Amino acid sequence: MDFDKQMNSRITIVDVAKQAGVSFGTVSRVINNDVHVKKETRERVVETMERLGFVANRQARSLAGGKSNSIGVLVPDLGTGYIGEIIRGIDAELSLTDLDLILYTTHRTASKETNYVTNLATGMVDGLLLVLPRSPADFIGNLTQSKFPFVLIDHQGAGRDCPSVGAANWQGGYNATEYLTNLGHTRIGFITGSMDLGCAVDRLDGYRSALRTYHIPDAPELIYEGDFFQPDGYSGAQAMLDLPEPPTAIFASNDVMAMGVMDAVRNRGLRVPDDVSVVGFDDIPQASLVRPALTTINQPLEKMGRVATQMLLDLLKHPEKKADRIELPTHLIVRDSCKSPRLD
Amino acid sequence: MDFDKQMNSRITIVDVAKQAGVSFGTVSRVINNDVHVKKETRERVVETMERLGFVANRQARSLAGGKSNSIGVLVPDLGTGYIGEIIRGIDAELSLTDLDLILYTTHRTASKETNYVTNLATGMVDGLLLVLPRSPADFIGNLTQSKFPFVLIDHQGAGRDCPSVGAANWQGGYNATEYLTNLGHTRIGFITGSMDLGCAVDRLDGYRSALRTYHIPDAPELIYEGDFFQPDGYSGAQAMLDLPEPPTAIFASNDVMAMGVMDAVRNRGLRVPDDVSVVGFDDIPQASLVRPALTTINQPLEKMGRVATQMLLDLLKHPEKKADRIELPTHLIVRDSCKSPRLD
DNA sequence: CTGTTAGCGCTTTCAG
DNA sequence: CTGAAAGCGCTAACAG
């Protein structure tokens, strides 16, 4: 049917070529901005493409060896607003170009990860943005060797030097703890994140270093191993508050757990910050909304997305560039959840 | 190079075919679960594929006319957590299948929308999930005519009957208002959303109907036109509170604006809910976190994503099925931001 | 500057 | 049940 063709935009370069009276090779050149086309011819072709509503077929292009004009983003999941922030940054930056975004969620399945990566790197996308909080997978080696452009986000690369952007987690852990000690706290509880994640380890290390700096003795009972989810914040706080000598402040490795801490504190009839100070990490949107507003470490997630995208774009342009790691600074955001400890 | 081939997984069906001692047509059949393959042969091929780490090339498959095994999701942007929730639902449902998700953000550019849709519908994806809060675009017609499977999300389709899932916005508007009147309020302010969105209109209508039901006279000064963003909630509340006879309750068309309302109330030295009751709409995660916790209308965003995905999956299986619209119920979530009005 | 010719990797007939 | 052959729409040499 005639109308069907128009409707479906099943217009190919051959159709355009016929209509414009040129060979389809010329149409291809026009599409790819090849210089070797007479201005006049180009105009005629462009006009025809518009008239026919031609839209190049992506799979054909990439199959034939051209660019796919899209970049792939691989994330573990969409569950935590955390990833959403990063994606927003990526999207914002990408919208400035004509590249499209293909999103893959691996749902923390290692096999899916590998599968996707090989698939994507085989022409489906021009570059890859990987949000892989877990341990470095083998395909990073492959990617590097095959010189496929990619950037790691928020991944504490275990020694490998490949392009990546992360946050100053250690610094954040240190600063928050330092702030608490300056307030006069000496019993500071810490709830870790999943310890198989580099960022969780770094935050804990920062906390420990600060204590050492301020000559506060180690107290293993004040370190509770969490998993970055709210319930662990709650139970961690409960456990610590049950101690004979409970902490006067609790520093949770992320905001979500800090909110769990707040709940636990309140459920015992205690108040934040009067009885217990609370600090979080991430500075997610909710942090400024809860009451009392949460003092936390700002981690520039959206910016991490943007910067990573810019790095990738740069890599796409200059494939020979050296890989480097960018570490974005974290900042202490003082709000209302901390106070000097009561004088007993 | 030899290792390069292994590294890149540039293994094609031809390689597999050679290794397994069959023609590449047979390998294709195995991939597509064609019944016409001897069990023994199939096993040998599967074994070979695994050994070689074969991963089928998506673009080639879809170019050659097969399925692309991915569905496209078109959203206006990622700015509001609102869309994120929907995507989460989609992703959750999709993770149960072997379909991949390709995400496109149009950044509210009509031309991009059209472009993407035609592109995607030309084999790049097997189906489309469209989050198009704005007015119905022409391509919906095209899509319908070309019988391409798609589902609209949160789109008050202006008469066209195509598969879509939405929420009971009218009902929500009605219920919230009714709740307020039952509490004893008779001066209830309303802050609308962007009135070019169907959902905003429906919520306003629900509000009006409830007032009528309870014989509360019209008061045009109590309706403030907002845009779904926080600042408008703030200024709307300010305007109404300046009235000679200010409202004792304010119902905002979404939670974000409701939070603006709360701020405005507090900034005048008034308290929520003692002096002014506040109700929102959406029930975003923050709603339960702010103090006082926000009473609001729960809109099942994540579920909308899930249901839409299920509908699309169904459409993919049974292309002949009739289009239908599913409306998910909204619920009043009573928290701490409302109270009976003071008796003066 | 432009037309022609091979494929890219895979699905689908069509013959055996 | 399986092999062979013909493209899908496009890019990238190669000739003019």
Side-chain angles (χ1 to χ4, degrees):
Chain A
M1 275 169 278
D2 191 27
F3 85 94
D4 212 339
K5 238 180 197 158
Q6 289 195 356
M7 279 294 164
N8 278 321
S9 281
R10 281 273 150 77
I11 312 285
T12 74
I13 54 173
V14 179
D15 300 319
V16 176
K18 251 183 245 160
Q19 289 277 329
V22 295
S23 79
F24 75 85
T26 301
V27 178
S28 173
R29 285 187 193 97
V30 172
I31 296 172
N32 294 290
N33 279 311
D34 190 314
V35 229
H36 307 291
V37 182
K38 208 202 299 176
K39 194 175 164 226
E40 194 180 88
T41 313
R42 175 187 306 279
E43 274 163 6
R44 187 150 37 90
V45 172
V46 169
E47 186 274 320
T48 312
M49 294 197 310
E50 274 169 6
R51 185 156 51 75
L52 264 41
F54 168 79
V55 182
N57 179 314
R58 275 233 165 62
Q59 22 280 313
R61 293 184 84 172
S62 88
L63 222 209
K67 313 266 91 215
S68 69
N69 261 308
S70 46
I71 75 113
V73 177
L74 204 71
V75 302
D77 61 67
L78 265 13
T80 59
Y82 162 82
I83 304 271
E85 288 285 302
I86 295 178
I87 297 182
R88 257 175 50 197
I90 295 172
D91 182 56
E93 208 60 36
L94 240 32
S95 73
L96 269 31
T97 73
D98 63 341
L99 262 48
D100 291 326
L101 187 174
I102 304 196
L103 211 219
Y104 283 82
T105 56
T106 62
H107 300 280
R108 304 181 183 280
T109 317
S111 71
K112 270 196 177 182
E113 274 183 11
T114 316
N115 218 294
Y116 282 154
V117 170
T118 57
N119 210 322
L120 291 165
T122 313
M124 176 155 249
V125 297
D126 298 339
L128 234 28
L129 250 23
L130 272 13
V131 182
L132 261 28
R134 310 254 146 210
S135 53
D138 349 313
F139 55 72
I140 291 184
N142 297 3
L143 247 25
T144 311
Q145 287 195 36
S146 63
K147 298 170 44 163
F148 188 84
F150 74 104
V151 176
L152 255 36
I153 300 179
D154 194 31
H155 173 96
Q156 314 303 112
R160 297 203 196 258
D161 66 327
C162 54
S164 67
V165 4
N169 285 298
W170 186 93
Q171 189 63 246
Y174 186 94
N175 289 347
T177 311
E178 178 175 51
Y179 169 70
L180 253 13
T181 66
N182 285 344
L183 240 32
H185 293 277
T186 52
R187 292 216 32 101
I188 303 174
F190 185 84
I191 301 179
T192 78
S194 312
M195 291 306 281
D196 52 339
L197 269 49
C199 61
V201 176
D202 288 354
R203 288 170 200 182
L204 174 58
D205 283 351
Y207 158 82
R208 281 200 169 121
S209 296
L211 291 189
R212 220 167 299 128
T213 303
Y214 289 91
H215 307 298
I216 296 175
D218 262 6
E221 75 276 17
L222 289 185
I223 296 182
Y224 183 91
E225 185 162 341
D227 61 357
F228 279 136
F229 292 102
Q230 182 144 353
D232 268 22
Y234 190 94
S235 49
Q238 280 204 309
M240 292 194 212
L241 262 16
D242 275 337
L243 255 27
E245 206 183 335
T248 56
I250 297 180
F251 174 18
S253 287
N254 73 354
D255 288 348
V256 175
M257 290 199 299
M259 288 171 194
V261 171
M262 283 195 185
D263 279 349
V265 171
R266 269 193 289 263
N267 278 0
R268 308 189 144 231
L270 298 175
R271 281 171 312 159
V272 177
D274 309 78
D275 300 302
V276 181
S277 291
V278 178
V279 180
F281 204 113
D282 277 354
D283 195 26
I284 58 178
Q286 286 99 308
S288 61
L289 262 20
V290 292
R291 298 298 138 178
L294 183 65
T295 290
T296 188
I297 297 293
N298 170 271
Q299 189 175 202
L301 297 171
E302 210 245 358
K303 186 165 186 192
M304 280 165 60
R306 300 187 93 104
V307 171
T309 308
Q310 286 167 355
M311 281 177 68
L312 184 59
L313 259 26
D314 200 48
L315 238 38
L316 254 26
K317 267 195 196 149
H318 317 286
E320 298 314 318
K321 230 166 193 177
K322 253 314 263 151
D324 53 346
R325 172 173 176 79
I326 291 182
E327 193 131 302
L328 264 25
T330 52
H331 299 288
L332 175 71
I333 308 288
V334 175
R335 286 198 270 254
D336 315 321
S337 63
C338 296
K339 217 176 187 178
S340 291
R342 287 176 126 66
L343 303 170
D344 296 329
Chain B
M1 277 169 274
D2 190 27
F3 84 93
D4 214 338
K5 239 181 197 159
Q6 288 197 358
M7 281 294 165
N8 278 321
S9 282
R10 281 274 148 77
I11 312 285
T12 74
I13 53 172
V14 179
D15 299 319
V16 177
K18 251 183 245 159
Q19 289 278 327
V22 294
S23 79
F24 74 86
T26 301
V27 177
S28 174
R29 286 189 191 96
V30 172
I31 295 171
N32 293 289
N33 278 313
D34 190 314
V35 227
H36 307 291
V37 182
K38 208 201 300 174
K39 196 175 164 227
E40 194 181 87
T41 314
R42 175 187 306 281
E43 275 163 6
R44 186 150 36 93
V45 172
V46 169
E47 186 273 322
T48 313
M49 294 197 312
E50 273 169 5
R51 184 157 51 75
L52 264 40
F54 168 79
V55 183
N57 180 314
R58 277 233 163 61
Q59 21 281 314
R61 291 185 85 172
S62 88
L63 221 209
K67 312 267 90 215
S68 70
N69 261 308
S70 44
I71 75 115
V73 177
L74 204 71
V75 302
D77 61 65
L78 264 13
T80 59
Y82 162 84
I83 305 270
E85 288 285 302
I86 296 178
I87 297 182
R88 255 172 55 194
I90 295 173
D91 182 55
E93 209 59 37
L94 239 33
S95 73
L96 268 31
T97 74
D98 63 341
L99 263 46
D100 291 326
L101 188 172
I102 303 196
L103 212 218
Y104 283 83
T105 55
T106 63
H107 300 281
R108 305 180 183 281
T109 317
S111 70
K112 270 196 177 183
E113 274 183 9
T114 317
N115 218 295
Y116 283 155
V117 170
T118 56
N119 209 322
L120 291 166
T122 313
M124 176 155 248
V125 297
D126 298 339
L128 234 29
L129 250 23
L130 272 15
V131 182
L132 260 29
R134 311 254 146 210
S135 53
D138 350 314
F139 56 72
I140 291 183
N142 297 3
L143 246 25
T144 312
Q145 287 195 37
S146 63
K147 298 169 43 159
F148 189 84
F150 74 104
V151 176
L152 256 36
I153 301 180
D154 194 30
H155 172 96
Q156 314 304 111
R160 298 202 195 256
D161 67 327
C162 54
S164 67
V165 4
N169 286 298
W170 187 92
Q171 189 64 246
Y174 185 95
N175 289 347
T177 311
E178 178 175 50
Y179 170 69
L180 254 13
T181 65
N182 285 345
L183 242 29
H185 294 277
T186 52
R187 295 224 17 111
I188 302 174
F190 185 84
I191 301 179
T192 78
S194 313
M195 291 305 281
D196 53 338
L197 268 49
C199 61
V201 176
D202 288 353
R203 289 171 200 182
L204 174 58
D205 283 351
Y207 158 81
R208 282 201 169 119
S209 295
L211 291 189
R212 222 167 298 128
T213 302
Y214 290 91
H215 309 296
I216 297 174
D218 262 7
E221 76 275 18
L222 289 184
I223 296 182
Y224 182 90
E225 184 163 342
D227 61 356
F228 280 136
F229 291 103
Q230 181 143 356
D232 268 21
Y234 191 92
S235 48
Q238 280 203 308
M240 292 195 214
L241 261 17
D242 275 337
L243 256 27
E245 206 183 334
T248 56
I250 297 180
F251 174 18
S253 286
N254 73 355
D255 289 348
V256 175
M257 290 197 301
M259 288 171 194
V261 171
M262 282 195 186
D263 280 348
V265 171
R266 269 193 289 263
N267 278 0
R268 308 188 146 234
L270 298 175
R271 281 171 312 158
V272 177
D274 309 78
D275 301 302
V276 182
S277 290
V278 178
V279 180
F281 205 115
D282 277 354
D283 195 25
I284 56 179
Q286 287 97 309
S288 61
L289 263 18
V290 292
R291 297 299 138 180
L294 184 65
T295 290
T296 187
I297 297 293
N298 171 273
Q299 188 175 201
L301 296 171
E302 210 246 358
K303 187 164 186 190
M304 281 165 58
R306 300 187 92 104
V307 171
T309 308
Q310 286 167 355
M311 281 177 68
L312 184 60
L313 258 27
D314 201 47
L315 238 40
L316 254 26
K317 267 194 196 152
H318 317 285
E320 299 313 318
K321 230 166 193 177
K322 253 314 266 149
D324 54 345
R325 171 172 177 79
I326 291 183
E327 193 130 302
L328 264 24
T330 52
H331 299 288
L332 175 70
I333 307 289
V334 175
R335 286 200 268 253
D336 314 321
S337 63
C338 295
K339 219 177 189 176
S340 291
R342 285 177 129 65
L343 304 171
D344 298 330

